[in-house]
Amino acid sequence: RLYQTLDSEGLHTLGTVIVDYRGYRVVGQSIISGILSRDQEQSIIYGSIDNGKTVNSNEKFRTVLTESSKRLHLREHSVVSGTNEEHRLITSYDCKGIVGNDGRHYLIDLFRSFAPDIFALGVPLKNFDSTPAEGEEGEAKAALFTCPVTRHKLATLRAELTEAFAFYRYILFTQNMSAKFIKAKGEREGKKEEMKEEGQLEIQSKEHKEENESDNDSGCSVESPTTPPATTTTTPFTESDAKEILKEIKSSGTAKHFGSVTNEEFDLRYNPDIYTGIGSRDTPEERTRDQQIVQDMAMFLSDTVIVKLVYDMKTMTQRPLDAIQLRDIMHDRGINMRYLGSITKALEENREKNHNYAICVSAMVTRGAKQAFKQYIIDIPGQQIAGATAHFLNCLVNGQDRQKSASGENSPPAANTGGRKKNRNKKGKVAVREPGNAWSGTNARSVHNTICEVVKGKYDFTLETSEDGFIKMPLGNLQMTRLVCKAVGIQLVLRDYMENPRFTESDVMNMFPISKHSDPRANNTTKLKDLAEDRLNNGYLAESHDLITEALNTMLQVYGPLHTDIESSHKHLAHISYLFGRIGQAISHQKQALLASERVNGIDHHETIYGYVYLALFSHNLAQTGVALRLMYRAKYLLQLVFGPDHLEQAAFDINIGLMLMGKGDSKNSLRFLESALKLHKKFHGTSSVQVAMCNTLVARALARNADFREAMKYQKHAYEVYCEKYGEEDKRTKECSTFLQTLTSKAVELQKWLQNKEKMVPNMIVSEVMPDSSISEILTTVNGIPATPTKIGAMSTDKITAVQTPAVVEEVTAKIDDIKQKGDDEALD
């Protein structure tokens, strides 16, 4: 995938797919032109085919790989074959280069294209410089997060981590260069200032001496007119001085100190063969440098990248919906899944108030169940697949042994059901035949023990079990069944599994293969799309809109309507259109993004769930409250399906639904959803958090709409206390909260007087400050992470800027126009 993204000229890779089906893994690759018409040994002209006994190198391959090696940070290194011949290779010796009959240079077996992971290989830490900026040597610091040692020697770090590490080192390098440049510039200017002062003193002493000589010659003192002191011009700091300073800094070895292979520019590279055991004639200094770079990358992963992820997950800044999104988040940050055990241990302290812990445990249980199912299903005959699969799911999720559920319809199927007559007893009932030996001995305890062993071996994490030895599932039965079925390729019949959780042979509809492959991407459109997203993040909406529209038109011609890039492009266009106030266009783009996400990602994917939320938000801004509510109900149902009711995103969804119902006038149901959101925020954030204060304010406004002012005052007073503690009494939010509290107090007093005096005049119980529709729209955009106004308008053309027109603004203007028409004031109407 990475080599395809690079798109290096003259270098080609094979189309590759990995297929997992019924316990087997099949790797499929396209065929190189002419490879079948010649011997394999004669075809390899680069790399080794016999584990390093013979190694080949080729000058043409070296030239082709030079460009990609710089972008992959690969260093050309020495490799000594078993015949004691030295070769200079850029990639690992395991990578093989072949020239096809079509003249193309193909590179295959790319599993060692990245830096080795010393934690997974069991390499001990050495005493290298832990902080290059300080340059102090010391003992090797222990890593904060590690992973178990793998049985194979192919464990490598991810490409995303390599890029992040290279960028991090480049930032340190530029900061160090800037500091040295500023220091050198100051020293040079100081020397010039000293030279200037010395020159002025010499001139003044010379003038004083000449004046004394002239006075002595005349014999009298004649007052001469004062003349300004002579000054010397200071040579300004020129470009040549800057170049000279930079040359001195470069020659001092600053770039190499941060891992660069040259002092001329920052060019960080590593040796992929440093821990493969292959012979090498590199100098000891080069070997030491290669080991240090690889160790620094592993320490950067452990002490920086994973630490940041754990912090985000502890503070709920990062809150994945399920194990699938957790995997995507970890991979995007360059973290391998084998570090999941140490990450979960860091979240274990406060697991009751952090649903991310349950998601991490569910990911490990799912992966353990996947390995157990592979071992279980691989020897099952085809005619018994459905029954064996149902039995495995019962053992996993329901904790039911075959003996406990082997009665009637829910019993495992007979070992042979093909075309033979069924044995019936005198009463006419089917006699259940004992299953075959392949899976008859499997029970719930053995399945759970296997999962515990796999998780302990792969992640060094001990799953919590009950007294009976069964795993305490982190999620509900339905949620765990979904994860396992998606992982191993089980398709179940659509029915209510909450009412009857037992699985039968008739429930297993199909088993489908799980395929992994790299999606084809057009590099030009991908660059345009990335640039458009960058401009959007910086607030340049018009420029981003033009770029992403151009990219989308090209992608539709290349990919067709169904592709992940198509989905994300429509989503960004919907976002931009919403900020421009073109709500109709935003809805149109979001619908297309949602349709593409359902087809490409799946109807229960996290991108699809968020797609429903955004479409609901846009529909609400177009006064389609009924449609928006149905979409939010759908998103809420899907979130309960993938995780359950106790997720923090459920609070955001409940706030959305509650505000929409409040705008619709259904204060009773609105209050129910807002109280549910308040309960979740109290559970995860505590009673003194800003999120709880905001929910208290919303609940108070819903109660005020029901004229329950006394109860509303309690919630609003708690919100006021939190705002005073967090922001102070002079903050705008605190003042707004205080003003609304005073309004509630006055209304409560007014209502109480009316109830006591039983006056005929009914007081005005309408609170105009409760929640106007414009405020509802602003809160909805904030809760869903969309700014209500553009962040930058400097780069936008003025003809494209329009305010976001909410339904409340339209209704207010329409009411004013009708009122003016009734009064007949033509001037005011104009």
Side-chain angles (χ1 to χ4, degrees):
R1 182 187 304 156
L2 185 61
Y3 275 98
Q4 290 177 0
T5 304
L6 294 177
D7 194 22
S8 299
E9 184 178 358
L11 184 63
H12 302 272
T13 56
L14 302 180
T16 306
V17 61
I18 300 175
V19 181
D20 292 326
Y21 182 63
R22 289 176 55 180
Y24 293 93
R25 167 162 286 190
V26 180
V27 180
Q29 286 186 324
S30 57
I31 298 177
I32 299 176
S33 176
I35 191 66
L36 300 179
S37 60
R38 50 184 169 174
D39 295 337
Q40 190 174 6
E41 296 180 357
Q42 299 176 356
S43 303
I44 305 297
I45 64 173
Y46 182 87
S48 175
I49 197 175
D50 50 9
N51 199 24
K53 294 181 180 179
T54 58
V55 180
N56 300 306
S57 58
N58 183 272
E59 187 63 25
K60 178 62 177 176
F61 256 103
R62 180 180 178 276
T63 304
V64 171
L65 288 169
T66 300
E67 179 185 354
S68 61
S69 66
K70 185 174 183 180
R71 299 166 67 181
L72 293 174
H73 307 285
L74 296 174
R75 186 181 76 84
E76 187 176 13
H77 55 283
S78 169
V79 172
V80 178
S81 65
T83 58
N84 203 24
E85 296 180 0
E86 182 184 7
H87 298 270
R88 302 292 297 181
L89 301 181
I90 294 177
T91 63
S92 173
Y93 74 93
D94 283 331
C95 296
K96 304 167 184 58
I98 302 175
V99 179
N101 287 351
D102 52 4
R104 295 179 176 178
H105 291 72
Y106 294 92
L107 196 65
I108 61 176
D109 294 346
L110 309 175
F111 41 80
R112 275 206 181 108
S113 295
F114 307 122
D117 188 350
I118 61 172
F119 297 133
L121 297 177
V123 178
L125 298 176
K126 295 185 179 181
N127 294 328
F128 296 123
D129 296 341
S130 58
T131 53
E134 299 175 3
E136 298 179 358
E137 295 185 0
E139 296 183 359
K141 186 178 70 171
L144 296 177
F145 295 92
T146 59
C147 66
V149 178
T150 58
R151 292 178 295 178
H152 57 82
K153 300 300 180 182
L154 301 178
T156 59
L157 301 173
R158 294 188 62 85
E160 296 88 350
L161 179 77
T162 304
E163 288 295 328
F165 177 74
F167 182 74
Y168 170 73
R169 281 296 180 89
Y170 177 73
I171 294 297
L172 294 181
F173 166 72
T174 53
Q175 291 176 350
N176 188 273
M177 287 280 290
S178 300
K180 289 184 176 180
F181 181 84
I182 293 173
K183 182 179 179 181
K185 180 181 177 182
E187 292 176 353
R188 181 161 298 198
E189 290 178 344
K191 290 180 180 179
K192 290 185 177 182
E193 191 68 25
E194 292 177 0
M195 294 173 61
K196 172 186 174 182
E197 293 177 357
E198 292 176 358
Q200 287 181 347
L201 291 175
E202 291 178 359
I203 293 173
Q204 290 177 2
S205 61
K206 185 177 180 181
E207 291 179 352
H208 184 65
K209 184 177 180 181
E210 290 177 353
E211 289 178 358
N212 291 336
E213 290 177 355
S214 62
D215 291 343
N216 294 332
D217 293 341
S218 60
C220 61
S221 60
V222 180
E223 187 176 350
S224 60
T226 60
T227 59
T231 59
T232 60
T233 59
T234 304
T235 306
F237 188 81
T238 61
E239 185 179 355
S240 59
D241 294 333
K243 291 182 178 180
E244 186 177 349
I245 292 176
L246 288 175
K247 187 176 180 180
E248 293 176 358
I249 296 175
K250 289 181 178 180
S251 61
S252 65
T254 303
K256 284 190 175 181
H257 185 67
F258 287 92
S260 176
V261 294
T262 176
N263 279 326
E264 298 300 324
E265 61 178 354
F266 182 79
D267 187 10
L268 186 143
R269 304 201 180 197
Y270 62 88
N271 181 0
D273 286 330
I274 187 62
Y275 288 116
T276 57
I278 191 71
S280 176
R281 291 178 183 170
D282 288 334
T283 62
E285 292 79 10
E286 290 177 335
R287 300 282 295 179
T288 301
R289 177 203 160 278
D290 291 338
Q291 293 176 358
Q292 181 178 359
I293 286 293
V294 171
Q295 177 172 310
D296 289 347
M297 291 174 68
M299 293 299 293
F300 175 73
L301 169 65
S302 170
D303 297 352
T304 302
V305 178
I306 298 182
V307 168
K308 181 62 170 62
L309 175 64
V310 170
Y311 174 79
D312 291 343
M313 296 184 75
K314 280 186 175 182
T315 58
M316 299 289 197
T317 306
Q318 194 78 67
R319 43 180 187 265
L321 301 185
D322 60 355
I324 298 174
Q325 189 179 5
L326 173 65
R327 177 202 63 193
D328 296 341
I329 291 173
M330 291 180 63
H331 287 174
D332 289 341
R333 297 192 181 207
I335 305 174
N336 302 87
M337 292 303 294
R338 54 178 169 267
Y339 289 90
L340 185 57
S342 58
I343 293 174
T344 309
K345 292 177 183 178
L347 301 174
E348 194 171 10
E349 181 180 358
N350 197 21
R351 60 181 183 179
E352 298 297 333
K353 296 183 178 181
N354 193 329
H355 54 69
N356 288 329
Y357 174 82
I359 292 177
C360 292
V361 175
S362 68
M364 290 188 291
V365 171
T366 302
R367 291 172 175 269
K370 180 180 178 180
Q371 296 298 324
F373 185 76
K374 283 184 177 180
Q375 302 171 12
Y376 168 81
I377 204 70
I378 193 168
D379 294 327
I380 303 296
Q383 65 270 21
Q384 299 182 19
I385 288 293
T389 302
H391 175 63
F392 180 85
L393 292 177
N394 283 325
C395 293
L396 171 67
V397 180
N398 299 324
Q400 296 173 340
D401 293 345
R402 180 182 61 84
Q403 291 80 3
K404 294 182 180 180
S405 61
S407 61
E409 177 182 20
N410 293 327
S411 61
N416 187 358
T417 59
R420 296 187 180 181
K421 295 182 179 180
K422 298 179 180 179
N423 297 327
R424 296 179 179 271
N425 55 18
K426 296 180 179 180
K427 295 183 179 180
K429 294 183 179 181
V430 178
V432 179
R433 186 179 299 178
E434 287 297 322
N437 294 329
W439 55 281
S440 60
T442 303
N443 53 35
R445 186 170 284 102
S446 64
V447 171
H448 285 238
N449 289 339
T450 303
I451 295 174
C452 290
E453 293 174 0
V454 171
V455 172
K456 182 64 177 178
K458 292 188 67 175
Y459 305 105
D460 192 23
F461 185 84
T462 303
L463 294 174
E464 186 178 1
T465 57
S466 62
E467 296 179 356
D468 299 334
F470 297 129
I471 300 172
K472 293 183 179 180
M473 293 297 175
L475 303 179
N477 290 350
L478 186 63
Q479 288 75 26
M480 292 304 303
T481 302
R482 168 186 171 269
L483 289 175
V484 173
C485 289
K486 290 179 74 71
V488 301
I490 300 174
Q491 185 177 5
L492 299 178
V493 174
L494 181 63
R495 71 172 179 85
D496 188 359
Y497 290 94
M498 296 297 293
E499 181 180 354
N500 183 13
R502 288 184 177 182
F503 298 95
T504 64
E505 181 180 0
S506 58
D507 290 331
V508 181
M509 183 177 180
N510 188 20
M511 285 201 66
F512 56 90
I514 303 296
S515 62
K516 300 177 183 178
H517 59 87
S518 59
D519 296 328
R521 298 189 183 275
N523 289 329
N524 294 334
T525 57
T526 302
K527 292 178 181 177
L528 277 177
K529 178 175 170 292
D530 294 340
L531 179 60
E533 293 177 1
D534 179 69
R535 304 308 290 165
L536 175 62
N537 294 332
N538 291 325
Y540 298 96
L541 304 185
E543 185 178 348
S544 175
H545 183 275
D546 295 339
L547 289 171
I548 207 163
T549 301
E550 181 181 353
L552 179 60
N553 292 333
T554 307
M555 284 188 290
L556 286 172
Q557 298 177 5
V558 176
Y559 303 145
L562 297 179
H563 195 274
T564 54
D565 288 347
I566 299 289
E567 181 264 337
S568 60
S569 298
H570 278 299
K571 182 176 65 176
H572 283 93
L573 282 176
H575 186 178
I576 296 172
S577 300
Y578 174 76
L579 294 180
F580 274 147
R582 305 167 184 167
I583 309 301
Q585 293 184 12
I587 291 176
S588 176
H589 285 297
Q590 187 59 38
K591 281 183 178 179
Q592 296 182 60
L594 184 57
L595 289 173
S597 180
E598 287 180 340
R599 298 292 185 88
V600 177
N601 299 321
I603 59 174
D604 58 347
H605 195 265
H606 56 270
E607 289 290 346
T608 306
I609 296 176
Y610 287 125
Y612 281 114
V613 176
Y614 289 132
L615 185 57
L617 173 64
F618 301 154
S619 300
H620 178 265
N621 276 269
L622 203 62
Q624 299 177 356
T625 308
V627 176
L629 284 171
R630 288 196 295 270
L631 292 169
M632 283 306 308
Y633 292 146
R634 174 67 174 173
K636 182 177 175 64
Y637 162 74
L638 290 175
L639 181 54
Q640 289 181 343
L641 174 66
V642 302
F643 180 83
D646 292 336
H647 196 284
L648 193 56
E649 286 295 336
Q650 287 283 9
F653 292 179
D654 287 340
I655 291 175
N656 287 346
I657 297 173
L659 291 177
M660 291 177 184
L661 289 171
M662 186 184 297
K664 194 178 180 181
D666 190 355
S667 301
K668 183 178 180 180
N669 289 321
S670 172
L671 180 61
R672 181 166 58 89
F673 283 101
L674 293 176
E675 287 178 342
S676 174
L678 176 61
K679 181 180 178 181
L680 286 173
H681 277 298
K682 283 183 178 180
K683 177 181 178 180
F684 294 119
H685 292 129
T687 56
S688 60
S689 63
V690 178
Q691 294 86 351
V692 171
M694 182 194 71
C695 288
N696 277 321
T697 300
L698 296 178
V699 171
R701 294 178 184 272
L703 289 169
R705 287 209 171 192
N706 289 335
D708 192 355
F709 298 113
R710 285 189 175 275
E711 194 68 21
M713 287 171 56
K714 296 179 182 178
Y715 288 96
Q716 191 65 18
K717 185 177 181 181
H718 185 274
Y720 175 74
E721 293 174 354
V722 173
Y723 283 136
C724 285
E725 181 183 353
K726 298 290 184 181
Y727 305 114
E729 296 182 358
E730 299 301 324
D731 189 78
K732 179 182 177 182
R733 287 160 289 192
T734 308
K735 291 181 178 180
E736 290 179 354
C737 190
S738 176
T739 302
F740 187 64
L741 181 60
Q742 293 174 3
T743 304
L744 292 175
T745 305
S746 62
K747 290 294 181 181
V749 171
E750 185 179 350
L751 178 61
Q752 187 65 25
K753 287 182 179 180
W754 177 78
L755 292 175
Q756 290 178 354
N757 300 329
K758 295 182 180 181
E759 297 177 356
K760 295 182 179 180
M761 181 66 69
V762 180
N764 182 15
M765 292 292 102
I766 299 177
V767 183
S768 59
E769 297 87 355
V770 168
M771 183 71 72
D773 290 343
S774 58
S775 299
I776 292 177
S777 298
E778 291 176 2
I779 295 176
L780 285 174
T781 54
T782 304
V783 169
N784 294 289
I786 299 179
T789 56
T791 56
K792 285 187 180 181
I793 60 174
M796 294 192 300
S797 56
T798 55
D799 59 335
K800 291 186 177 181
I801 302 176
T802 56
V804 178
Q805 299 293 338
T806 62
V809 176
V810 177
E811 293 177 2
E812 182 180 356
V813 173
T814 305
K816 287 183 178 180
I817 292 175
D818 294 339
D819 187 35
I820 294 172
K821 285 182 178 180
Q822 291 179 0
K823 294 180 180 179
D825 191 349
D826 296 335
E827 185 176 351
L829 182 61
D830 293 337

